[in-house]
Amino acid sequence: MDMNAYLSMFIDESNDHLQSLNENLLRLESEPEELSIVQNIFRSAHTLKGMSATMGFEDLAALTHEMENVLDLVRNSKLKMDSFIFDTLFKGLDALEAMVQDIVDGGTGKADVTSIVESLQIILKSDYSASKATQAPTVAANAPSAAESSASGAMLLDEFQSSILLQSIETGHNVFHIQIAIRDNCLLKAVRAYMVFDLLERNGEVIKSDPSVQDIEQEKFNFTFTVFTISRLQQEDLQAQLLNISEIESAVVTALDAESLAVLGQSNAAAAVEVVEVAETAAPQSEAAVTSVEAAKGQARSAPAASTPANVSKTIRVDIERLDTLMNLFSELLIDRVRLEQLSSEIKRSDLTETVEHMARVSSDLQSIVLKLRMVPVDSVFNRFPRMIRDLAKSLDKKIDLVITGADTELDRTVIDEIGDPLVHLLRNSVDHGIETVEERIAAGKPETGTIFLRAFHSGNHVFIEVEEDGRGIHHERVLKTAIKNGVVTADEAKLLTPDEINMLIFAAGFSTADKISDISGRGVGLDVVRSKITSLGGNVTIDSAFGRGTKFSVQLPLTLSIISAMLIKLGSEKYAIPLSSIVETGIIRKEQILQVHGNKMIEFRNTIIPLVSLSKVLDSPDFNENDELETEIVVVRKGEKWAAVMVDEFIGQSEIVLKTLGKYLTNIKAISGATILGDGYVALIIDPNALIK
Amino acid sequence: MGEELKVIVFALGSEEYGIEVDKVRTIERLSPITRVPKTATFIKGVINLRGVVVPVIDLRGRFNLTETATTENSRIIVVSVADIEVGFIVDSANDVIDIDTDTIDLPPEIVGGIKAKYLRGIAKLGEGRLLIMLNLSEVLNKNEIIQLEQLEV
């Protein structure tokens, strides 16, 4: 079987399971008594283990196996979850994620997980000693794991092996499933294992062992192994003889009949999990192993509904590159459409105009479909935050609830890819500087658990993402003090600032270079990076804060980055595009309206004085100079709260343009963010208004 | 005999130059070029190459030769090296030939004003015909452009 064909499926499914593990563990942490969550976790872990073993990712399978063992005890109420177990399981999960990521990156998924495995085994052992004291025969204590491994063993039995076993049963031979555990202080476990195999071979035939015989010979096993064997001996005899071998901790011998074999033969992983679960409920009796398999068989039949995936959504996964190609081809079409529209308006023939208009309608429908194809729910970004908040809160000794709403809100994939880091910054900030410690909260008369709301919603052509918390709010005086100290504003300027402007100061570049962030009560580190990232995406971020009651960051993002509305303008013979999202207004000014302030040109616009930027100077325009004009067209653009008027030669009009990069050779061109191809085939550069405003 | 090398032959002034054919994506007639401000003078701007925006370099300018007006014979040779796609304006594109790598000698210090680092070597084609092989990764070296940009500011 060519495993590569299944690799992408494996990766997708592993990620789904890891995600569900993460979510369920978090849920379990808030509701530790809810055993049904443990069942879900166990199921995911078990499936993941089966999948990785099938794909040959041994380390992944081994670690999941250990985690599963711990979960198994929890599920049977033999172990109570505590913070050590949670931490260990989360660590295990991180390691699993890293391994899957390694596989994604083309690696082998190998990793050194000994320390985690050790922790897990410590958890296991501390419990085993307790349960052994109450349950005399070691067989009983091990029954659940025997049943479980018989289920996992089932996945390892191939058709050939199960048919041999089946034939043996039909011809009246005894077929056993044996689970051997060697004492963990045994020095030469391979020798003991050899003695077991020797015994079995003398009395019959070993059909299958897990791990394989070679691995066992090389001591590549963890004190336990599982064997399917055909034997002349009876069940009791075999067990007695096996236990006679020294340093054997336990030997669980389970007789198999045709029906139980049929159940075991089902290689469906989900079904196998069902088997285990029912086996577990039947396990408490001493001879659990036999009955469990039989009980399992009954359940497995009645449970197919539960083992099929609950919601089969009618979707297909599409390679993102194909979508990009579709998008590129579509943009070509869009360019031709604009060209056709131009031609038809020049030629003025009604049937041509009608055809072009119809084509324009169809293509705009097509455009919205193509764009929708690239839409991904923000959930794919949000889903890593609960875990992050948990870890952060834990390390800072705070109590925090994260409430997520609107995770199904969709955004273009290109935006999704970029938005993760800024959100991480904002959330970290809320945890670190927003939410108070438990003591502070109690002193302030607030509930000891702080709440962070993470919301996403659509509004018009934009998506809003809000991070709001009920923490301490922004302390204006301290922010001002820091801002003045770092030279972000002067003391005189500071007096004139409105509360909103003071809030925005924490986004200033100089602010974050302050000394240790912990001595500022406000916020700081990296927020300037957050803002520049969001603005580079064509978005905007604002702050709303009430001292003592909390702070809200509101991020506004465009739905897509590939096609934007822009104003096309002319400077002499050259054409440029200015993104509509940063245009406030267009207008005309006369020469005498231009004011000189400290040698800089300014104009009065809506009762404020804003700078006047000469685009022809910024772009070294070869054949346009606004000084020759008596009246000049202006475009008022904004960057956050700052405005500026940009002088242009002539407006061409508003148009949908397709963003193109300038390629890897031309990077960091000042004031130019990209290019687009106009209807006439010419390339027009796209102006980056942010670069025009200081 | 060394390995056979297929090269595109083009001219700048009276000299003939060669670029390995596998580095060349296409050879185009001159199309309207959109100027890109604040870049080195030899960067003429960008063109629309069937929906892709491609920067165009005047190869004469790149080598500090005197730039001349383009003619009917001028061509844009679009090369693609390590993810970078760039068009070269050349006086004419003439030929595709096979050369023997053994005939390529190390370049002398300077060839017609072009520094040796831009050259991979000089191939002797016989009958006194010499072909100057370009070292594309050095011609497209961006560090040099950055320095130029800083000079201009």
Side-chain angles (χ1 to χ4, degrees):
Chain A
M1 188 164 56
D2 177 17
M3 287 298 177
N4 277 330
Y6 299 95
L7 192 59
S8 70
M9 213 198 308
F10 167 79
I11 289 167
D12 285 343
E13 286 188 16
S14 304
N15 283 328
D16 287 350
H17 283 297
L18 287 173
Q19 185 54 37
S20 120
L21 280 170
N22 223 327
E23 280 165 13
N24 280 314
L25 265 180
L26 284 168
R27 260 180 67 208
L28 186 65
E29 208 174 22
S30 53
E31 312 166 49
E33 302 303 320
E34 190 57 44
L35 284 184
S36 69
I37 305 177
V38 188
Q39 295 286 17
N40 286 337
I41 299 175
F42 188 87
R43 203 176 310 208
S44 285
H46 193 83
T47 316
L48 187 59
K49 179 177 90 171
M51 280 166 28
S52 347
T54 319
M55 294 294 293
F57 297 121
E58 305 291 343
D59 286 10
L60 251 173
L63 179 56
T64 340
H65 179 71
E66 294 296 337
M67 290 170 69
E68 203 186 348
N69 284 346
V70 171
L71 289 167
D72 184 48
L73 292 176
V74 176
R75 193 161 75 130
N76 291 301
S77 309
K78 287 184 183 149
L79 185 66
K80 260 191 105 59
M81 292 299 282
D82 58 30
S83 65
F84 178 71
I85 302 179
F86 271 117
D87 284 347
T88 315
L89 288 176
F90 273 126
K91 256 185 233 158
L93 213 51
D94 286 344
L96 291 178
E97 266 168 16
M99 286 154 138
V100 172
Q101 190 53 45
D102 183 45
I103 295 167
V104 174
D105 297 340
T108 51
K110 290 211 174 299
D112 182 20
V113 290
T114 34
S115 72
I116 302 170
V117 168
E118 269 167 27
S119 310
L120 287 166
Q121 280 172 346
I122 289 169
I123 297 169
L124 275 180
K125 266 184 212 145
S126 61
D127 181 79
Y128 262 16
S129 57
S131 63
K132 245 186 276 174
T134 50
Q135 289 166 303
T138 47
V139 183
N142 278 311
S145 55
E148 173 217 308
S149 45
S150 72
S152 64
M155 289 184 288
L156 301 168
L157 269 189
D158 62 30
E159 229 172 285
F160 174 68
Q161 289 158 338
S162 46
S163 76
I164 291 183
L165 291 175
L166 197 62
Q167 279 173 16
S168 309
I169 293 168
E170 277 163 6
T171 51
H173 289 90
N174 299 325
V175 172
F176 298 113
H177 169 265
I178 304 172
Q179 163 91 10
I180 304 280
I182 297 173
R183 265 178 221 158
D184 55 14
N185 54 5
C186 171
L187 285 177
L188 291 167
K189 52 186 181 173
V191 175
R192 300 300 160 207
Y194 169 76
M195 290 169 77
V196 170
F197 278 98
D198 187 46
L199 173 80
L200 295 175
E201 306 262 6
R202 267 185 286 128
N203 295 299
E205 198 176 342
V206 174
I207 299 299
K208 166 88 188 173
S209 79
D210 174 34
S212 70
V213 181
Q214 288 96 322
D215 283 354
I216 291 175
E217 277 171 359
Q218 290 165 21
E219 295 214 331
K220 283 185 190 160
F221 69 110
N222 273 332
F223 297 102
T224 60
F225 58 94
T226 309
V227 181
F228 285 93
T229 181
I230 306 167
S231 182
R232 280 189 292 275
L233 296 174
Q234 292 305 308
Q235 190 178 354
E236 289 84 353
D237 281 354
L238 188 60
Q239 181 165 352
Q241 292 204 23
L242 284 170
L243 286 170
N244 264 342
I245 301 171
S246 55
E247 294 189 275
I248 295 291
E249 176 95 282
S250 69
V252 182
V253 181
T254 311
L256 297 176
D257 56 21
E259 280 182 301
S260 58
L261 194 66
V263 174
L264 284 174
Q266 288 185 1
S267 55
N268 183 326
V273 177
E274 291 297 329
V275 172
V276 182
E277 266 150 30
V278 190
E280 297 312 322
T281 53
Q285 299 108 325
S286 284
E287 319 97 53
V290 186
T291 45
S292 68
V293 175
E294 272 163 16
K297 157 197 80 190
Q299 178 68 16
R301 261 186 220 137
S302 63
S307 60
T308 50
N311 51 341
V312 184
S313 56
K314 285 184 182 169
T315 56
I316 50 166
R317 291 181 200 262
V318 181
D319 188 351
I320 188 72
E321 270 180 31
R322 285 193 199 166
L323 280 186
D324 284 341
T325 315
L326 180 62
M327 189 73 191
N328 281 340
L329 289 173
F330 181 74
S331 8
E332 297 280 301
L333 200 63
L334 211 63
I335 290 162
D336 290 344
R337 183 188 103 186
V338 176
R339 176 79 183 125
L340 275 176
E341 280 172 343
Q342 274 175 10
L343 285 175
S344 78
S345 69
E346 280 166 24
I347 295 170
K348 292 195 174 66
R349 245 186 73 178
S350 66
D351 47 351
L352 175 64
T353 316
E354 272 167 33
T355 316
V356 170
E357 273 170 6
H358 180 253
M359 188 196 153
R361 274 198 302 279
V362 172
S363 69
S364 74
D365 286 354
L366 197 57
Q367 176 180 350
S368 70
I369 293 277
V370 172
L371 289 180
K372 269 190 199 128
L373 285 181
R374 300 170 49 90
M375 294 301 233
V376 184
V378 278
D379 187 40
S380 56
V381 180
F382 281 11
N383 61 28
R384 58 176 150 139
F385 293 145
R387 174 67 197 288
M388 184 189 90
I389 299 288
R390 172 205 176 264
D391 290 355
L392 275 177
K394 221 172 156 122
S395 70
L396 293 168
D397 215 12
K398 292 178 180 177
K399 288 194 176 173
I400 297 172
D401 270 345
L402 177 68
V403 182
I404 295 180
T405 49
D408 54 350
T409 310
E410 291 186 328
L411 261 173
D412 189 282
R413 227 199 91 102
T414 43
V415 186
I416 291 269
D417 289 345
E418 301 288 328
I419 196 60
D421 287 346
L423 285 181
V424 167
H425 267 291
L426 290 179
L427 282 167
R428 285 187 72 98
N429 228 280
S430 295
V431 176
D432 200 3
H433 308 296
I435 303 278
E436 311 91 331
T437 60
V438 172
E439 298 80 46
E440 282 169 336
R441 288 187 70 89
I442 292 170
K446 292 180 179 178
E448 59 179 53
T449 306
T451 313
I452 297 179
F453 294 94
L454 178 61
R455 305 188 194 94
F457 54 91
H458 278 289
S459 174
N461 246 344
H462 287 89
V463 165
F464 284 83
I465 299 178
E466 292 179 346
V467 177
E468 182 175 8
E469 103 303 271
D470 61 348
R472 46 172 80 100
I474 294 174
H475 193 304
H476 283 167
E477 277 162 41
R478 291 198 207 163
V479 169
L480 279 180
K481 236 163 92 185
T482 318
I484 293 168
K485 199 172 90 192
N486 291 325
V488 177
V489 288
T490 64
D492 290 337
E493 283 167 354
K495 284 181 195 135
L496 300 171
L497 293 175
T498 63
D500 278 348
E501 284 169 333
I502 297 174
N503 287 343
M504 290 311 283
L505 280 179
I506 64 174
F507 280 123
F511 201 87
S512 56
T513 53
D515 42 310
K516 274 282 168 211
I517 180 67
S518 47
D519 13 312
I520 313 166
S521 93
R523 295 136 196 277
V525 165
L527 280 185
D528 59 321
V529 181
V530 172
R531 185 160 74 163
S532 59
K533 180 89 222 182
I534 289 169
T535 18
S536 76
L537 292 175
N540 192 16
V541 54
T542 53
I543 309 178
D544 198 1
S545 176
F547 183 64
R549 275 182 292 152
T551 306
K552 176 163 93 179
F553 290 96
S554 192
V555 179
Q556 183 189 4
L557 291 165
L559 278 180
T560 178
L561 294 179
S562 324
I563 297 180
I564 60 165
S565 294
M567 170 68 84
L568 294 179
I569 57 120
K570 235 179 171 173
L571 279 182
S573 60
E574 298 183 328
K575 291 175 184 172
Y576 292 92
I578 304 177
L580 220 54
S581 58
S582 46
I583 296 182
V584 181
E585 222 177 292
T586 57
I588 297 180
I589 52 160
R590 290 188 310 279
K591 212 166 189 174
E592 58 269 26
Q593 284 176 293
I594 300 173
L595 313 168
Q596 295 284 339
V597 181
H598 292 296
N600 295 319
K601 284 180 180 165
M602 306 285 242
I603 57 161
E604 193 180 337
F605 183 80
R606 307 234 173 278
N607 298 326
T608 52
I609 304 289
I610 60 171
L612 191 61
V613 179
S614 164
L615 198 56
S616 61
K617 214 182 250 170
V618 173
L619 302 174
D620 297 328
S621 185
D623 49 10
F624 175 71
N625 189 341
E626 63 275 344
N627 289 340
D628 309 335
E629 312 247 311
L630 285 176
E631 279 188 336
T632 308
E633 278 85 350
I634 54 160
V635 181
V636 180
V637 294
R638 64 147 189 255
K639 172 190 182 184
E641 301 296 302
K642 287 182 190 162
W643 290 12
V646 179
M647 290 182 280
V648 303
D649 181 6
E650 210 179 294
F651 298 124
I652 299 171
Q654 194 182 322
S655 175
E656 302 265 286
I657 60 167
V658 180
L659 293 186
K660 306 253 176 189
T661 69
L662 288 178
K664 291 204 171 157
Y665 188 69
L666 294 178
T667 48
N668 295 324
I669 309 278
K670 198 175 175 288
I672 300 294
S673 62
T676 187
I677 295 168
L678 301 175
D680 53 12
Y682 281 76
V683 180
L685 301 178
I686 300 169
I687 305 220
D688 173 16
N690 292 321
L692 301 177
I693 301 175
K694 297 211 173 59
Chain B
M1 276 283 281
E3 279 174 60
E4 287 268 292
L5 197 64
K6 223 179 227 337
V7 294
I8 302 266
V9 180
F10 64 89
L12 287 182
S14 56
E15 313 280 357
E16 279 191 306
Y17 296 80
I19 300 179
E20 293 96 314
V21 80
D22 59 344
K23 302 259 168 47
V24 176
R25 257 199 59 201
T26 170
I27 300 174
E28 301 282 319
R29 284 177 180 276
L30 242 47
S31 53
I33 300 176
T34 303
R35 184 185 66 92
V36 178
K38 308 282 182 196
T39 47
T41 46
F42 59 79
I43 297 176
K44 289 294 141 195
V46 288
I47 55 164
N48 166 16
L49 184 68
R50 288 179 284 282
V52 180
V53 176
V54 178
V56 176
I57 290 176
D58 188 320
L59 212 49
R60 282 174 169 269
R62 183 74 183 91
F63 294 148
N64 288 324
L65 306 172
T66 43
E67 293 184 24
T68 53
T70 53
T71 67
E72 185 59 18
N73 290 328
S74 298
R75 292 287 180 277
I76 296 177
I77 301 182
V78 179
V79 299
S80 151
V81 178
D83 274 8
I84 294 179
E85 206 161 83
V86 167
F88 292 137
I89 300 179
V90 300
D91 289 352
S92 63
N94 304 332
D95 208 353
V96 183
I97 56 167
D98 290 317
I99 57 170
D100 182 346
T101 45
D102 280 353
T103 65
I104 302 179
D105 286 344
L106 284 179
E109 263 315 291
I110 241 163
V111 182
I114 305 177
K115 290 192 194 120
K117 68 170 174 177
Y118 297 134
L119 307 179
R120 195 181 128 181
I122 296 201
K124 299 179 288 291
L125 301 181
E127 297 161 21
R129 194 175 164 204
L130 294 177
L131 190 65
I132 305 164
M133 297 294 297
L134 288 184
N135 179 353
L136 279 186
S137 52
E138 203 53 56
V139 175
L140 295 180
N141 189 341
K142 294 211 300 179
N143 293 336
E144 229 169 305
I145 307 174
I146 292 160
Q147 281 166 8
L148 276 164
E149 279 167 10
Q150 282 164 346
L151 278 177
E152 283 193 1
V153 168

